[in-house]
Amino acid sequence: MSQFGPEYVRAIAPYQAGKPISEVAREFGLDEANIVKLASNENPFGVPESSKQAMAAAAAELGRYPDANGFELKAALSKRYDVPADWITLGNGSNDILEIAAHAFVQKGEAVVYSQYSFAVYALATQGVGGRAIVVPAREFGHDLDAMAAAIDGDTRLVYIANPNNPTGTFIAASHIEAFLTKVPSNVVVVLDEAYNEYLAPEHQFESAQWVRKYPNLVVSRTFSKAYGLAGLRVGFAIAQPIVTDLMNRIRQPFNVNSLAQAAAIAALNDKAFLEQGAKNNAEGYLQLTAAFDELGLEYVPSYGNFVLVKVGNDDGAGARVNLALLQQGVIVRPVGAYGLPQWLRISIGLPGENATFIAALKKALG
Ligand SMILES: *Cc1c(COP(=O)(O)O)cnc(C)c1O
């Protein structure tokens, strides 16, 4: 144990990211071109063409600092979500937003409420500020909002909710979230993390961005990493009332979203066709994967995101064992033992051919 830093920093278990393709190629002696990565909920179509063009144009100005205030991107978001530009905080990915919220609203010893099996970064952000985590047991792999409301104590300053949730894919209807918001004390900030919102079917979509008008303690968090295909660029944003936004901006690094990312995000935001293509592929891929799971008799959690959590065995070694057998065949998925789900794997939905490669490899892996 090092003698450096506070105890709460030394206690942090580092985030385990999906393995990069190059690493798997080296470790298993495989050709990168034959590797299928369905591990990090990335968009299988990659970067939109419109964003590539915008980045090429912006590249000429890379000698200068980015616009610290993200004027054009905020203007585009303001229009898209019908909120004033000064209600928007830009993030280096929405991960940055989640961290900024912890730094802005929680001091050492104060509490943060989040759900069991919710996104790993909530725990990291809480620990990073020396916060006390109140982890509320999940209900059917999703958030138990009644129990979360009841868990808020006098020291609680922040609540994280993922909708849809990662890694389980569960979804909470608008009416339930609003009922929860009415119960939360006004001095507790609620971060509603909607990283997969764009994948929701139209009947499940709701204008959460408009709720911030009604709830001064609500922060809606979104990202360009998933449906918009810009994970490598790191762009996310938050919508909240100006008092909350102002505090988050004091914590934010001045140049946290780089110039290429700002340009690419504006283009992607206006690229309806790209989002539609992604949503269609996702819906079809979900059916492709779950049909295979049904055929194999594997339990899975119905998912509203671009991934599926599937149970690959009944012993606690199952996830790691099947994961290794998949890696040996050049298929990268996400083990979720660190989430307390050692019998499960999370599979990102890919292109039809990638899904088929995974299904064939899974059949072999299960013997
Ligand atoms: C992927 C993800 C994010 C963060 O993505 P960024 O790339 O940092 O924007 C946030 N929340 C959830 C639930 C996610 O799955």
Side-chain angles (χ1 to χ4, degrees):
M1 232 343 136
S2 102
Q3 75 274 33
F4 301 117
E7 162 58 27
Y8 60 80
V9 171
R10 284 184 259 138
I12 294 174
Y15 182 78
Q16 293 171 1
K19 271 178 181 288
I21 288 175
S22 56
E23 186 182 315
V24 171
R26 278 196 304 276
E27 264 182 42
F28 295 88
L30 300 166
D31 183 350
E32 283 193 22
N34 297 329
I35 291 177
V36 167
K37 185 183 178 211
L38 302 174
S40 301
N41 301 345
E42 294 145 341
N43 191 319
F45 291 103
V47 180
E49 240 2 274
S50 55
S51 294
K52 286 184 188 164
Q53 286 171 20
M55 284 191 284
E61 290 301 318
L62 279 177
R64 304 210 178 270
Y65 278 100
D67 177 355
N69 204 20
F71 179 84
E72 286 184 38
L73 176 52
K74 283 190 190 175
L77 290 167
S78 162
K79 195 164 157 222
R80 166 67 183 77
Y81 290 102
D82 192 22
V83 292
D86 66 352
W87 291 35
I88 298 167
T89 308
L90 299 182
N92 189 261
S94 59
N95 198 322
D96 195 23
I97 297 293
L98 304 173
E99 298 267 350
I100 289 171
H103 282 275
F105 306 119
V106 183
Q107 51 177 326
K108 187 172 180 302
E110 291 180 334
V112 179
V113 170
Y114 53 87
S115 176
Q116 179 191 25
Y117 308 143
S118 65
F119 190 41
V121 170
Y122 307 156
L124 292 171
T126 301
Q127 286 176 295
V129 296
R132 178 166 56 87
I134 299 178
V135 185
V136 177
R139 194 166 67 191
E140 289 168 32
F141 296 97
H143 294 61
D144 183 343
L145 290 185
D146 291 335
M148 287 178 73
I152 295 173
D153 64 14
D155 293 328
T156 301
R157 296 291 173 268
L158 185 62
V159 178
Y160 289 113
I161 296 175
N163 196 38
N165 184 44
N166 172 22
T168 61
T170 53
F171 175 70
I172 315 163
S175 58
H176 292 138
I177 295 193
E178 270 218 271
F180 174 80
L181 291 172
T182 61
K183 286 191 226 164
V184 175
S186 59
N187 67 333
V188 175
V189 172
V190 177
V191 173
L192 179 59
D193 175 359
E194 301 186 315
Y196 301 95
N197 176 273
E198 296 81 4
Y199 283 111
L200 291 172
E203 66 270 25
H204 293 123
Q205 300 259 1
F206 47 86
E207 278 300 324
S208 51
Q210 290 307 315
W211 287 351
V212 299
R213 296 185 185 278
K214 213 160 133 193
Y215 302 100
N217 58 336
L218 177 63
V219 176
V220 171
S221 171
R222 298 284 188 94
T223 183
F224 284 91
S225 296
K226 308 284 162 57
Y228 289 107
L230 301 177
L233 278 175
R234 318 301 303 128
V235 203
F237 62 97
I239 299 174
Q241 288 198 15
I243 292 176
V244 163
T245 300
D246 174 57
L247 288 172
M248 303 222 309
N249 268 305
R250 291 171 197 227
I251 292 295
R252 184 182 68 86
Q253 281 181 45
F255 303 107
N256 64 336
V257 181
N258 70 68
S259 320
L260 296 188
Q262 292 187 30
I266 294 166
L269 191 64
N270 294 316
D271 197 335
K272 269 202 171 149
F274 184 81
L275 273 194
E276 279 165 15
Q277 173 193 37
K280 181 168 179 287
N281 179 74
N282 198 61
E284 290 167 2
Y286 180 75
L287 295 178
Q288 188 184 2
L289 290 181
T290 54
F293 298 153
D294 286 337
E295 184 196 326
L296 291 164
L298 300 179
E299 187 187 338
Y300 58 89
V301 181
S303 175
Y304 293 79
N306 65 344
F307 55 88
V308 190
L309 188 68
V310 60
K311 190 174 181 187
V312 292
N314 293 317
D315 63 287
D316 284 353
R321 189 172 61 241
V322 174
N323 181 55
L324 179 62
L326 291 170
L327 285 173
Q328 285 164 342
Q329 299 175 74
V331 176
I332 316 174
V333 300
R334 181 66 71 91
V336 282
Y339 281 92
L341 295 162
Q343 304 171 352
W344 301 72
L345 291 173
R346 190 195 68 192
I347 321 301
S348 304
I349 296 168
L351 299 171
E354 295 174 319
N355 299 333
T357 300
F358 157 72
I359 290 165
L362 179 66
K363 286 180 179 167
K364 268 195 190 165
L366 294 172

